[in-house]
Amino acid sequence: SEQEAAFEARIDADGRIEPQDWMPEAYRKTLVRQISQHAHSEIVGMLPEGNWISRAPSLKRKAILIAKVQDEGGHGLYLYSAAETLGTSRDQMLEGLHSGKAKYSSIFNYPTLNWADVGVIGWLVDGAAIMNQVPLCRCSYGPYARAMVRVCKEESFHQRQGYEALLVMMKGTDEQRAMVQDAVNRYWWKCLAMFGPPDADSPHSAQGMRWGIKRISNDDLRQKFIDATVPQAKVLGVTLPDPDLKWNEARGHYDYGQIDWAEFWNTVEGNGPCNNERLATRVKAHNDGQWVRDAAQAYARKQKERALKEAA
Amino acid sequence: SEQEAAFEARIDADGRIEPQDWMPEAYRKTLVRQISQHAHSEIVGMLPEGNWISRAPSLKRKAILIAKVQDEGGHGLYLYSAAETLGTSRDQMLEGLHSGKAKYSSIFNYPTLNWADVGVIGWLVDGAAIMNQVPLCRCSYGPYARAMVRVCKEESFHQRQGYEALLVMMKGTDEQRAMVQDAVNRYWWKCLAMFGPPDADSPHSAQGMRWGIKRISNDDLRQKFIDATVPQAKVLGVTLPDPDLKWNEARGHYDYGQIDWAEFWNTVEGNGPCNNERLATRVKAHNDGQWVRDAAQAYARKQKERALKEAA
Amino acid sequence: MSTPIDYLLHLADNAVVLGQRNAEWCGHGPILEEDMALANVSLDLIGQARLLYQRAAELKGGDATEDKLAYFRGPHEFRNYTLLELPHHGALVGYAAADRDYATTIVRNFLYSALMVHVWDGLQQSADASLAAIAAKSLKETSYHLHHSRDWLVRMGDGTEESHARAQAAVNHLMPYTEEFWTTSPAEGAAVAAKIGIDVWALRPAWDALVNEALAEATLTRPNFHGYVTEGKIGLHSEHLSYLLGEMQGLARAHPGATW
Amino acid sequence: MSTPIDYLLHLADNAVVLGQRNAEWCGHGPILEEDMALANVSLDLIGQARLLYQRAAELKGGDATEDKLAYFRGPHEFRNYTLLELPHHGALVGYAAADRDYATTIVRNFLYSALMVHVWDGLQQSADASLAAIAAKSLKETSYHLHHSRDWLVRMGDGTEESHARAQAAVNHLMPYTEEFWTTSPAEGAAVAAKIGIDVWALRPAWDALVNEALAEATLTRPNFHGYVTEGKIGLHSEHLSYLLGEMQGLARAHPGATW
């Protein structure tokens, strides 16, 4: 069709698609799925870090952590709004999350077991997320691209904060250093898996590339992340738990070991250590909050009625 | 009436009244009120000490405390049973507690704020309770008297355990000693009030004495408690927070200062620091447990029906 | 401790304890916007606490720091209003477990911020210039907290039958704790005498007006007071504070020499 | 740490953590008799933990004591099954607040004691005579725990519609955690090799039979397992243990040198 041709031409010219523009249903669906999944990840991602707010070991770190978790809520808001421009309501998206139909980043299905996890999530998890997200700032769908610009800016800030917190801990006591190493041991491989399956096993990527939603392949992003992170680990003084990790002069990249994809898929399918807890907590918060949302709606309705009566 | 004369004669001869015996309604009512109030005190009294089980600073103290709180539950059970022999069911008594009609010892309306409170409750609160309760072992109503024999034996054990725990703390660090002194400061006056209003203001006592339910007056018991406790406080090395407390050679007793009866009555009337919390906690436990009790009843009914069917 | 320090600790402990409580909703709020709003309230309060502790540490000298004051004092040394340490549910003993109730949270934030807008306003004239500066900053934040909680109080009271009942229950539960506002602790008395602190008693009519007006708009009833006046600000707390501080301080205390 | 010590700590940590959880009901039970029954279970478990820690401290030597082992090790050093540290409610994150659910408590006590009657039975033949003696004592206690929890499991499952639903939900929630029983930790492997410990894997058919029979009598369904096998016994816990230990250890750690 003519519309389709115009859409394709815009995509080919690296132009932006805006909400009022015509777009193929598959493009719309792919975006809603991806953006809502991203929004859900921000919201569920508040839980593992939120777990340490009450116990932060200094008031400064407590404030930083609250602000960070609050930012994640903010990212969730931008992203839900971006997805809403595609005709899906926040309630519909939440229904998808709560029923288990929609996914969120599997990294949040692991527990935060010591205070250093907070720093490591900033450094590695946010670091990996940024690698994934920076290309999305050039995504073909305008509202998503613009949301991602803001998200990436804040995520970079979080990443630096996380790394800085770890630097301070590594300069501290033996126990503090052990906490950092323990957290790195538990999170390193999970972060590598965040880039998704190897390119060879990633059939959806091609269409995403074609549409300008995905810009760089999983394996390339993963390699980029590893290459950037290894020197940071050295500065920090932690060991990355991969005996196969070494510089390959010929490739100009770090080689690395085998990712446990069986474990990854098992967690994605709902069988990770915290899947049930994360989802049930979101559902409980939503259900427990029903009366509050009802109250706000009832009050707004009453106010409207009163205004109408007065006007009459 | 003839029955009444027989009852009076039995009382005068210091004999025992048993459940199957005739008794005046007022006697029955007084006993139900007193015994159920005593039972409620045991149950509500589990809460202030229960507050420290999870935080007991050694496993030995944790075990001692659990056993003690469990004993209190046991006392509640004997006492509810004793009251049931007078024709009032446990459910009826609990309904009285939960609706706020029935009272319990006001001493449990104060918070337990540090670990030493546990020891002080053993030493002073149980100590005062024993003073009150030992005469009840000779109470005219048989089931109550027998329950009290068992209760008093266990309470004496608790009192010694509490005192012993405080002795260890007083031999410990400055902070431990400060905890003990702080707990004594908060509990001393409340314990003196446990014996009830001065004899001059205690109109119910006469009938209770007449019936052999009450044996010793409030002021006499209070004096006895003070005389017994002052030397213990000296051994312990704590200061009792009463500047007027001193030995009166002439009386052969310790003189002591003014009890704040306004505060006492205010707390009895429901306005102490923890009245709402204690009662609401009991009510919540009861309500939250409804489905469990329902399940047990439903299952018992089904089992009975099955047995009948099989027999048929 | 000397007067201004004790008074600063009262203000700081209020802020840190309520900040700790508000942050508990993070990730559990009734709607995403409220998660963020309460995180914001919490951040403001923690920020206020930091400035106040820093000033107290400065006056105290020696090796005092904001974190020493926040993390290494026991419950009996804390000087916050008892109101602020209560969990987010109705009256229950310290070791009870229960769902959080948003009405309790909102009503408490309202009752406290309705006081603090006046306290901070007055403290802008404190003889302690640092405190005056903290007050000016805190006043702006607290005005927002008051707006936020008042809006929700009205929505809940004049919302559904359930929300009205919950809001009224929270008001009944919490209002008695506000009586502590109107007693004068030694620290407050001395601070007022030194023109460092503010006479809270004088703020009562303004607070009453603010509260009564909001309750009326929310179609809620103000319960009569007949009860126990709490004494958190002289260090006599409820059973709840030791749990709150145990959780807040545990990690810091497990690593006494550490820097974070 | 050496083998027998690690193994003893696994057994002791199991007992202390579940003892701590059971005691949380004290004063909050559904009926007075159950308050007392759970206090009793808790007392037995704390008693078992004490004997096991004492034996471990003896083998460890130096200044080790039961309380040092219970109060001064961190969550990552605890070797209990993850099952035992979970709060008394359904799946929720570590800092969620919720009412306690008695079905969760009962189902957990059942699943654990159904294992431990066999473990203690076998350990009566341990090459460590102290452990064998502890096992004989613990077997009697655990048989009572099994009876108690099994009785209630059946009552709940075959009681009302609500109790059935709650019991089934608790079974669905907790059963996956029992998979941890059947893996062999290094400490267990070494203890078995040294004839000090017992091969839990070999107990699986007996446990299955006990569990399946009870579930059938309770008209409850056993869920299929497909999931994550927890690793508490090698020190990788859920988010819940650090809260439990924070509360349990806080006071003792605030007074490191003190005797109680």
Side-chain angles (χ1 to χ4, degrees):
Chain A
S1 74
E2 203 173 313
Q3 289 175 315
E4 202 160 348
F7 172 84
E8 296 287 345
R10 182 96 59 97
I11 293 280
D12 288 343
D14 230 357
R16 284 284 157 84
I17 309 298
E18 294 298 333
Q20 65 280 7
D21 296 338
W22 183 91
M23 61 190 87
E25 263 320 290
Y27 177 84
R28 186 185 297 273
K29 264 179 123 170
T30 301
L31 275 169
V32 168
R33 187 173 47 77
Q34 180 169 335
I35 303 174
S36 70
Q37 184 170 321
H38 190 165
H40 299 330
S41 299
E42 297 283 354
I43 302 313
V44 176
M46 295 169 78
L47 298 174
E49 290 175 284
N51 187 39
W52 287 92
I53 290 176
S54 70
R55 301 177 287 182
S58 78
L59 292 182
K60 181 181 141 194
R61 293 291 168 199
K62 189 191 289 286
I64 289 174
L65 182 56
I66 296 171
K68 184 188 169 186
V69 177
Q70 194 193 26
D71 281 349
E72 285 160 8
H75 299 172
L77 277 186
Y78 317 152
L79 289 162
Y80 283 128
S81 298
E84 283 182 315
T85 64
L86 292 158
T88 305
S89 72
R90 202 208 293 186
D91 278 351
Q92 285 173 299
M93 291 185 266
L94 287 179
E95 160 58 24
L97 172 66
H98 297 163
S99 67
K101 267 178 280 169
K103 298 280 177 219
Y104 55 85
S105 177
S106 226
I107 192 74
F108 300 123
N109 287 319
Y110 300 96
T112 49
L113 296 181
N114 84 52
W115 168 253
D117 287 26
V118 168
V120 166
I121 286 177
W123 174 41
L124 296 180
V125 175
D126 292 354
I130 293 166
M131 285 284 171
N132 269 328
Q133 289 166 8
V134 163
L136 291 173
C137 299
R138 298 182 290 118
C139 164
S140 62
Y141 187 61
Y144 190 26
R146 288 188 291 273
M148 291 316 299
V149 170
R150 197 161 156 192
V151 168
C152 282
K153 220 168 100 182
E154 293 182 2
E155 294 281 18
S156 305
F157 182 64
H158 297 161
Q159 204 233 355
R160 282 197 303 276
Q161 276 183 329
Y163 189 67
E164 187 265 340
L166 297 178
L167 277 174
V168 173
M169 287 182 76
M170 290 303 289
K171 282 185 200 130
T173 67
D174 286 349
E175 282 172 314
Q176 286 177 296
R177 272 188 293 277
M179 285 161 77
V180 176
Q181 185 63 57
D182 175 53
V184 168
N185 291 348
R186 282 181 286 105
Y187 274 97
W188 172 250
W189 288 104
K190 319 295 182 204
C191 288
L192 296 191
M194 280 176 72
F195 296 94
D199 295 346
D201 309 335
S202 192
H204 293 301
S205 290
Q207 181 61 283
M209 292 267 193
R210 171 71 196 88
W211 277 337
I213 297 172
K214 193 163 177 65
R215 299 275 180 182
I216 309 180
S217 84
N218 294 351
D219 282 335
D220 286 353
L221 285 169
R222 185 164 20 242
Q223 185 69 61
K224 217 175 146 189
F225 173 73
I226 293 169
D227 291 349
T229 305
V230 171
Q232 294 168 1
K234 272 187 196 140
V235 171
L236 200 54
V238 295
T239 306
L240 297 173
D242 178 0
D244 297 328
L245 190 70
K246 52 179 160 288
W247 182 251
N248 182 325
E249 197 62 51
R251 291 207 305 127
H253 290 296
Y254 283 93
D255 289 340
Y256 55 96
Q258 273 296 319
I259 294 168
D260 183 351
W261 291 109
E263 196 270 353
F264 173 78
W265 287 115
N266 201 19
T267 301
V268 169
E269 281 157 23
N271 304 318
C274 297
N275 299 57
N276 292 342
E277 298 193 350
R278 300 290 185 237
L279 194 55
T281 299
R282 288 308 320 153
V283 170
K284 183 177 196 300
H286 189 77
N287 292 344
D288 286 358
Q290 189 64 50
W291 72 269
V292 180
R293 299 190 300 277
D294 289 347
Q297 278 199 341
Y299 179 74
R301 201 176 48 241
K302 284 185 198 175
Q303 284 294 83
K304 214 172 165 182
E305 284 165 10
R306 283 173 198 138
L308 282 171
K309 237 180 227 164
E310 239 160 76
Chain B
S1 76
E2 202 174 312
Q3 288 175 315
E4 202 159 348
F7 171 84
E8 297 286 345
R10 182 97 58 97
I11 293 281
D12 289 342
D14 232 356
R16 284 282 157 85
I17 309 297
E18 294 298 334
Q20 65 281 7
D21 295 337
W22 183 91
M23 62 190 86
E25 262 323 289
Y27 177 85
R28 185 185 298 273
K29 264 177 120 170
T30 301
L31 274 169
V32 168
R33 186 172 49 76
Q34 179 169 334
I35 301 174
S36 70
Q37 183 170 321
H38 190 165
H40 298 331
S41 299
E42 298 283 355
I43 303 312
V44 175
M46 294 170 78
L47 298 175
E49 291 174 285
N51 187 41
W52 286 92
I53 290 176
S54 70
R55 301 177 288 181
S58 77
L59 292 182
K60 179 182 143 193
R61 293 292 168 197
K62 188 190 290 284
I64 289 174
L65 182 55
I66 296 171
K68 184 189 169 185
V69 177
Q70 194 192 26
D71 280 349
E72 285 160 8
H75 298 171
L77 276 186
Y78 317 152
L79 289 161
Y80 283 128
S81 298
E84 284 182 315
T85 64
L86 292 157
T88 305
S89 72
R90 203 209 294 187
D91 278 350
Q92 286 173 300
M93 291 185 264
L94 286 179
E95 160 58 25
L97 173 66
H98 296 163
S99 67
K101 268 178 279 170
K103 298 281 176 217
Y104 55 85
S105 177
S106 225
I107 191 75
F108 300 123
N109 287 318
Y110 300 95
T112 49
L113 296 180
N114 85 52
W115 167 252
D117 287 26
V118 168
V120 167
I121 287 176
W123 174 40
L124 296 180
V125 175
D126 291 354
I130 293 165
M131 285 284 171
N132 269 327
Q133 289 166 7
V134 163
L136 291 172
C137 298
R138 298 181 289 117
C139 164
S140 62
Y141 187 61
Y144 190 26
R146 288 188 291 274
M148 290 318 297
V149 170
R150 195 161 156 192
V151 169
C152 283
K153 220 167 99 184
E154 293 182 2
E155 294 282 18
S156 306
F157 182 63
H158 297 162
Q159 204 233 355
R160 281 197 303 277
Q161 276 182 329
Y163 189 68
E164 186 265 341
L166 297 177
L167 277 173
V168 173
M169 287 182 75
M170 291 302 288
K171 282 186 200 130
T173 66
D174 286 349
E175 282 171 313
Q176 286 177 296
R177 272 188 293 276
M179 285 161 76
V180 176
Q181 184 63 57
D182 175 53
V184 168
N185 291 348
R186 284 181 285 106
Y187 274 98
W188 173 249
W189 288 103
K190 319 297 183 203
C191 287
L192 296 191
M194 281 177 72
F195 296 94
D199 295 346
D201 309 333
S202 191
H204 293 301
S205 290
Q207 182 61 281
M209 293 265 194
R210 170 71 196 86
W211 277 338
I213 298 173
K214 192 164 177 64
R215 299 275 180 184
I216 309 180
S217 85
N218 293 351
D219 283 333
D220 287 352
L221 284 170
R222 185 163 20 241
Q223 185 69 60
K224 216 175 147 191
F225 173 73
I226 293 169
D227 292 348
T229 305
V230 172
Q232 293 168 3
K234 272 187 196 141
V235 171
L236 200 53
V238 294
T239 307
L240 297 172
D242 178 0
D244 296 330
L245 190 70
K246 50 180 161 283
W247 181 251
N248 183 324
E249 197 62 54
R251 293 207 303 127
H253 290 296
Y254 283 93
D255 289 341
Y256 55 96
Q258 273 295 320
I259 293 168
D260 182 352
W261 291 110
E263 196 270 352
F264 172 78
W265 286 115
N266 201 19
T267 301
V268 168
E269 281 156 22
N271 304 316
C274 297
N275 298 57
N276 292 342
E277 298 192 351
R278 300 292 185 235
L279 194 55
T281 299
R282 287 309 319 155
V283 170
K284 184 178 195 299
H286 189 76
N287 293 344
D288 287 357
Q290 188 64 52
W291 73 269
V292 180
R293 299 191 300 277
D294 289 347
Q297 278 198 341
Y299 179 74
R301 201 177 46 242
K302 284 185 198 175
Q303 284 294 84
K304 213 170 163 184
E305 284 165 10
R306 284 174 197 138
L308 282 171
K309 238 180 228 165
E310 239 160 77
Chain C
M1 271 187 207
S2 80
T3 301
I5 296 175
D6 252 3
Y7 185 67
L8 287 163
L9 289 178
H10 163 56
L11 295 170
D13 292 344
N14 279 342
V16 83
V17 166
L18 189 59
Q20 181 82 356
R21 280 289 181 221
N22 270 278
E24 288 174 351
W25 279 103
C26 205
H28 308 285
I31 185 167
L32 185 49
E33 284 80 354
E34 285 305 291
D35 269 66
M36 295 175 65
L38 287 205
N40 204 56
V41 172
S42 180
L43 262 180
D44 287 343
L45 290 167
I46 303 289
Q48 292 169 14
R50 293 188 65 195
L51 295 173
L52 292 160
Y53 283 133
Q54 283 164 12
R55 177 63 181 144
E58 194 174 53
L59 292 172
K60 207 168 179 303
D63 61 352
T65 65
E66 58 173 282
D67 286 332
K68 279 240 170 84
L69 293 171
Y71 286 91
F72 291 87
R73 287 184 303 135
H76 64 288
E77 296 172 285
F78 265 66
R79 293 291 178 261
N80 59 285
Y81 295 128
T82 300
L83 172 70
L84 308 180
E85 73 210 29
L86 303 174
H88 305 281
H89 54 60
L92 288 175
V93 301
Y95 73 116
D99 289 340
R100 294 189 187 101
D101 169 50
Y102 206 60
T104 306
T105 305
I106 289 295
V107 169
R108 184 206 350 238
N109 281 357
F110 170 70
L111 296 172
Y112 176 69
S113 55
L115 176 73
M116 294 309 290
V117 286
H118 295 113
V119 169
W120 294 129
D121 187 33
L123 285 177
Q124 293 182 108
Q125 271 74 54
S126 171
D128 183 310
S130 302
L131 179 53
I134 297 169
K137 179 181 176 296
S138 301
L139 176 57
K140 286 195 203 88
E141 296 166 350
T142 307
S143 302
Y144 164 75
H145 306 170
L146 178 61
H147 275 287
H148 174 261
S149 55
R150 192 189 186 286
D151 281 355
W152 273 106
L153 179 74
V154 171
R155 275 189 208 112
M156 287 176 180
D158 194 17
T160 65
E161 211 171 304
E162 180 181 5
S163 69
H164 179 88
R166 283 174 176 266
Q168 186 65 59
V171 168
N172 294 348
H173 168 43
L174 297 175
M175 193 63 81
Y177 290 90
T178 63
E179 291 295 320
E180 187 180 340
F181 296 166
W182 320 120
T183 59
T184 303
S185 71
E188 286 175 305
V192 170
K195 300 202 189 302
I196 287 164
I198 191 159
D199 178 11
V200 175
W201 175 257
L203 304 176
R204 186 163 193 176
W207 184 85
D208 272 336
L210 226 165
V211 168
N212 291 342
E213 198 205 23
L215 289 177
E217 195 180 330
T219 73
L220 294 166
T221 308
R222 183 167 170 175
N224 289 323
F225 177 72
H226 49 90
Y228 169 74
V229 180
T230 54
E231 301 177 289
K233 68 182 172 184
I234 61 166
L236 281 164
H237 290 276
S238 74
E239 289 173 355
H240 304 287
L241 184 64
S242 55
Y243 288 97
L244 182 148
L245 292 182
E247 185 170 319
M248 178 176 120
Q249 299 176 334
L251 177 59
R253 285 180 178 238
H255 304 272
T259 304
W260 303 94
Chain D
M1 267 186 210
S2 79
T3 300
I5 296 175
D6 252 3
Y7 185 68
L8 287 163
L9 288 178
H10 162 58
L11 294 171
D13 293 344
N14 278 342
V16 84
V17 167
L18 189 59
Q20 181 81 356
R21 282 288 181 220
N22 269 279
E24 289 174 351
W25 278 103
C26 203
H28 309 285
I31 185 168
L32 185 48
E33 284 80 353
E34 285 305 291
D35 269 66
M36 295 175 64
L38 287 205
N40 205 57
V41 172
S42 180
L43 262 180
D44 287 343
L45 289 167
I46 302 289
Q48 292 170 12
R50 292 188 65 194
L51 295 172
L52 292 160
Y53 283 134
Q54 284 163 13
R55 176 63 180 144
E58 195 174 53
L59 292 172
K60 205 168 180 304
D63 60 354
T65 66
E66 59 174 281
D67 286 333
K68 280 242 171 82
L69 293 171
Y71 286 91
F72 292 87
R73 287 184 303 136
H76 64 288
E77 296 170 286
F78 266 65
R79 293 292 177 261
N80 59 284
Y81 296 127
T82 300
L83 173 71
L84 308 180
E85 74 210 28
L86 304 174
H88 305 281
H89 54 62
L92 288 175
V93 300
Y95 72 116
D99 288 341
R100 295 187 186 101
D101 169 49
Y102 207 59
T104 306
T105 304
I106 289 296
V107 170
R108 186 208 345 241
N109 281 357
F110 169 69
L111 295 173
Y112 175 69
S113 54
L115 176 73
M116 294 308 290
V117 285
H118 294 114
V119 170
W120 293 129
D121 187 32
L123 285 177
Q124 293 182 108
Q125 270 75 54
S126 171
D128 183 309
S130 302
L131 178 54
I134 297 169
K137 179 181 176 296
S138 302
L139 176 58
K140 286 195 202 89
E141 296 166 349
T142 307
S143 303
Y144 164 75
H145 306 170
L146 178 60
H147 274 288
H148 174 261
S149 55
R150 191 188 187 287
D151 281 355
W152 273 106
L153 180 74
V154 171
R155 277 188 207 115
M156 287 177 180
D158 194 18
T160 65
E161 210 171 305
E162 181 181 3
S163 69
H164 180 88
R166 283 175 176 267
Q168 185 65 59
V171 168
N172 294 348
H173 168 43
L174 297 175
M175 193 63 81
Y177 290 90
T178 63
E179 291 295 319
E180 186 180 341
F181 295 167
W182 319 121
T183 59
T184 303
S185 71
E188 286 175 307
V192 170
K195 299 202 189 303
I196 287 165
I198 191 159
D199 179 10
V200 175
W201 175 257
L203 304 176
R204 188 164 191 174
W207 184 85
D208 273 335
L210 226 164
V211 167
N212 291 342
E213 197 204 23
L215 289 178
E217 194 180 332
T219 72
L220 294 166
T221 309
R222 182 167 171 176
N224 289 323
F225 176 71
H226 49 92
Y228 170 74
V229 180
T230 54
E231 302 177 289
K233 68 183 172 185
I234 61 166
L236 282 164
H237 290 277
S238 73
E239 289 173 354
H240 304 286
L241 184 63
S242 56
Y243 288 97
L244 182 148
L245 292 182
E247 186 170 318
M248 177 175 122
Q249 299 177 334
L251 177 59
R253 284 180 179 238
H255 304 271
T259 304
W260 303 94

